[in-house]
Amino acid sequence: MNSQGQFGSMMEFLDNVNKDQVVITCATLSVGFIEELATSCEKKDLTFFDMPLTGGSIGAQTGGLTLLVGGNEKELEKDKNYIRLYCTGS
């Protein structure tokens, strides 16, 4: 599927997201795709975080994976406990 097809599917997904939910990506996606998604979420008044994972297989084996978080700082502060659960499982 090309990026336009992926973005079209994501837009259909966003039509079903409630304003009290948070949209999070945790994948290898193009900068352009993330920018379009962030803009679409902003237009729909949805909270969006881009959370790529780094460290690769060695990081996974050694417990050295790092989850980066990009998004609205105020919303991040509000949702940090949920994100902490996502990162640590506890």
Side-chain angles (χ1 to χ4, degrees):
M1 183 183 312
N2 64 27
S3 63
Q4 286 300 326
Q6 290 170 341
F7 191 71
S9 297
M10 183 57 68
M11 291 306 296
E12 290 174 24
F13 169 77
L14 291 179
D15 287 341
N16 295 297
V17 175
N18 297 320
K19 291 188 189 308
D20 62 335
Q21 296 174 308
V22 177
V23 177
I24 296 173
T25 60
C26 187
T28 303
L29 300 166
S30 73
V31 172
F33 183 88
I34 293 299
E35 287 173 345
E36 286 183 69
L37 182 55
T39 298
S40 296
C41 286
E42 186 176 358
K43 286 179 182 176
K44 293 178 176 283
D45 198 28
L46 300 172
T47 300
F48 170 70
F49 296 116
D50 179 30
M51 296 174 44
L53 185 66
T54 66
S57 59
I58 292 174
Q61 292 169 1
T62 62
L65 295 175
T66 301
L67 193 63
L68 308 172
V69 181
N72 180 289
E73 205 169 329
K74 183 177 176 183
E75 292 297 325
L76 178 59
E77 183 63 29
K78 185 175 84 175
D79 295 325
K80 70 181 178 183
N81 289 330
Y82 298 111
I83 293 172
R84 185 173 290 120
L85 283 172
Y86 181 80
C87 295
T88 65
S90 60

